[in-house]
Amino acid sequence: MVIIGHDSPQILNAYSTVPLTQSIIETTQHGFYDGGVARFGNPQVVVAIHNRTELHGLSHYDLRIALDAEGALDPFVVLDDHTPQLNAVWYVETTAQCQRWDSFFTGMITYPYENFTTWQIHIRVPDLPITQVAWSVGAGSLPESVPSPYDPHDPQWNIFHYTTGQGPLNWTDPNQILWGDNAWVRANYSEVMLSSDPDLTKYLVPRPRLPFVISLTKESARKNGLLPYWNFPVAVTPPGGEVELSAKYDWDDPRWPKGYPDDPEVVSRLTPTQRVQHADKSPFSRMDQRPQIVPETGNGTQTKLVGPNGEAEVVVSGAVQGA
């Protein structure tokens, strides 16, 4: 039996500095869905959208200070009126990291009423998941990606995007994406095939000292919505046991439907069984109970999310969770 592994995703908290609208929510959710390659139910990064009226109108510096005071010390995302139009959000670093960079870099534009420089980047939404993961392992950094000399008040209208040199990536094109469609699986030996063909190994890195590469058989891959993929095994047991290896998700398999799970047209094409599976595997798992944007009681200029039972909600990666 082939078992597809699932990792615990990194969670980025997002705060809106303006009253949330459906277009802001959808732009953010859909961008993370594409960039995190959540179509296969195993996103590396997900976003939790918080709608807190007391944070509306704050500068990014003041928002960083307010969250620090609550003990929310991690990097966060800022949503604003420009998010839908630009398909972009702000990524704001931790105060500790900002202070480290303040002591390391010179030439930044500083403001006397701010105790530290707010290091932040205006970034295309679908490119944020891979950027977050890359920076977390030391592959690039925020200071390398922002204009120099750095000005924390710069609107950065030249939106940062992750690229291989050919322009912005299309995260729904399997020929362009850089990650996310790899599946880590566990299978019996009867479900895999081995090869010692050197032509299959010469381009693989890193190169452990193993005399063979391994792949799911075409039949076992097809039954699980995967494609065979030759690579070195992750872990092996004696013959008759199990092996851990990598495969590729099959973008054309119907169990990984195209489109967003909150799209009625996508849902209408699914069988009842697929609908349940799709909802369970997707970070949009409760979008059939989509929150509504309604005027907040007593103040028609403010808005809040109201869930199906009338309670205030926080939108977590497209799924509605009680606040």
Side-chain angles (χ1 to χ4, degrees):
M1 178 179 180
V2 174
I3 299 175
I4 301 176
H6 288 80
D7 298 324
S8 297
Q10 297 184 37
I11 299 176
L12 274 176
N13 288 296
Y15 301 90
S16 182
T17 56
V18 297
L20 271 180
T21 63
Q22 203 67 50
S23 60
I24 294 176
I25 295 171
E26 290 181 356
T27 299
T28 307
Q29 289 175 338
H30 292 179
F32 269 80
Y33 187 86
D34 289 340
V37 199
R39 173 177 176 175
F40 305 115
N42 191 24
Q44 296 288 312
V45 180
V46 296
V47 62
I49 300 176
H50 303 267
N51 186 39
R52 296 173 50 183
T53 56
E54 74 274 17
L55 302 179
H56 293 171
L58 292 184
S59 69
H60 297 180
Y61 173 83
D62 288 335
L63 184 54
R64 176 74 277 175
I65 295 296
L67 293 175
D68 285 351
E70 297 176 359
L73 306 179
D74 293 332
F76 62 87
V77 174
V78 178
L79 315 177
D80 57 30
D81 286 330
H82 299 293
T83 295
Q85 176 186 1
L86 300 177
N87 192 24
V89 294
W90 288 90
Y91 175 88
V92 181
E93 257 297 352
T94 67
T95 297
Q97 186 63 275
C98 290
Q99 292 171 336
R100 278 193 290 269
W101 285 335
D102 278 355
S103 63
F104 182 81
F105 293 101
T106 59
M108 300 95 66
I109 298 174
T110 59
Y111 296 84
Y113 51 87
E114 296 179 350
N115 294 327
F116 58 87
T117 303
T118 308
W119 285 88
Q120 57 187 349
I121 190 167
H122 210 181
I123 183 170
R124 200 173 70 119
V125 183
D127 294 327
L128 184 47
I130 189 174
T131 302
Q132 161 76 1
V133 171
W135 289 350
S136 69
V137 298
S141 68
L142 193 155
E144 298 173 48
S145 308
V146 293
S148 179
Y150 176 69
D151 180 355
H153 292 189
D154 181 356
Q156 297 184 29
W157 296 125
N158 187 18
I159 307 301
F160 176 82
H161 60 268
Y162 209 93
T163 180
T164 56
Q166 303 298 321
L169 298 174
N170 177 1
W171 289 100
T172 61
D173 182 350
N175 296 315
Q176 289 195 36
I177 70 166
L178 303 176
W179 74 334
D181 64 344
N182 288 321
W184 301 102
V185 303
R186 186 188 310 146
N188 297 322
Y189 273 85
S190 62
E191 298 168 310
V192 302
M193 47 189 177
L194 283 71
S195 175
S196 57
D197 184 348
D199 286 338
L200 296 174
T201 65
K202 61 184 178 182
Y203 298 115
L204 296 178
V205 291
R207 299 178 58 84
R209 294 183 178 180
L210 292 173
F212 63 90
V213 286
I214 192 169
S215 171
L216 288 174
T217 65
K218 290 182 179 180
E219 181 63 16
S220 58
R222 182 190 62 79
K223 288 181 178 179
N224 292 276
L226 303 170
L227 296 171
Y229 177 66
W230 290 105
N231 206 338
F232 296 111
V234 179
V236 297
T237 59
E242 295 180 330
V243 61
E244 294 181 16
L245 68 158
S246 57
K248 290 282 189 180
Y249 287 103
D250 183 355
W251 288 71
D252 296 323
D253 190 282
R255 77 195 72 196
W256 321 120
K258 299 177 182 179
Y260 302 111
D262 60 335
D263 184 346
E265 291 187 10
V266 173
V267 176
S268 67
R269 294 196 299 266
L270 304 179
T271 67
T273 300
Q274 288 176 328
R275 199 168 299 172
V276 172
Q277 292 174 341
H278 192 42
D280 287 343
K281 293 177 180 178
S282 166
F284 280 55
S285 60
R286 288 179 57 195
M287 287 305 288
D288 58 319
Q289 301 181 24
R290 295 182 69 174
Q292 301 296 314
I293 302 296
V294 300
E296 183 172 329
T297 303
N299 187 344
T301 63
Q302 300 293 323
T303 59
K304 64 179 178 181
L305 289 175
V306 174
N309 300 319
E311 69 277 17
E313 303 277 348
V314 175
V315 181
V316 182
S317 300
V320 179
Q321 305 288 338

